[in-house]
Amino acid sequence: MPVDPAVVGRALDTVTVTIEPGKLRELARAFGEDPDAWGAVAPPTALVLADHLRADGIIDAPLAIGMDVERLLHGEASWDLVRPVRAGDVLTGTTVVEALDTREGRRGGTMTRATFATTFTDPAGAVVAVQRHVFVETGA
């Protein structure tokens, strides 16, 4: 069943994440980098830690709008930073459906592309970053 275009603009969830120094050290090691070289500044990709707090992880948003997990691809991720993310930050992210479009796939069937934007704010309500994930549901 196709995703209803009326979902565009809908807020899906809110999650609060603490950027823990230990997690940043683990992330630096995973990248093959010296954890001490990073200091207290996190890479933008550290915000994906918030996805681990959701019931269905990174696919929580696509599932919430009815996308079929068996035909789901992660198309891209991007981050717009207003200020650096730092160890110790407590950020609240609210995810909305930013865009939805369809087109015919080369192998047949209609593909649906959904863009989800999570705006992260600090305790004072100031925007720190916006993370976007694009998911593609391939044609049946």
Side-chain angles (χ1 to χ4, degrees):
M1 185 152 99
V3 177
D4 183 353
V7 300
V8 174
R10 183 193 311 167
L12 299 178
D13 75 352
T14 299
V15 64
T16 299
V17 61
T18 300
I19 307 299
E20 299 173 13
K23 287 292 181 191
L24 292 182
R25 294 181 65 75
E26 291 173 9
L27 192 57
R29 282 194 289 274
F31 288 154
E33 297 180 14
D34 176 8
D36 295 323
W38 280 18
V41 176
T45 53
L47 293 172
V48 300
L49 293 170
D51 292 324
H52 296 280
L53 301 174
R54 293 180 168 96
D56 290 305
I58 195 168
I59 63 168
D60 199 65
L63 290 175
I65 65 167
M67 294 181 92
D68 182 353
V69 69
E70 293 188 16
R71 296 185 292 133
L72 197 61
L73 302 171
H74 186 260
E76 66 181 78
S78 64
W79 295 265
D80 293 322
L81 292 178
V82 175
R83 72 152 173 88
V85 175
R86 296 184 177 1
D89 279 347
V90 178
L91 304 174
T92 300
T94 301
T95 301
V96 299
V97 182
E98 187 174 68
L100 184 72
D101 60 55
T102 60
R103 72 177 180 95
E104 290 305 307
R106 282 186 236 156
R107 292 186 230 166
T110 301
M111 297 187 332
T112 300
R113 183 175 65 174
T115 303
F116 302 95
T118 303
T119 301
F120 288 94
T121 57
D122 65 18
V127 175
V128 173
V130 178
Q131 171 182 277
R132 286 181 179 81
H133 287 290
V134 177
F135 285 89
V136 177
E137 180 186 75
T138 59

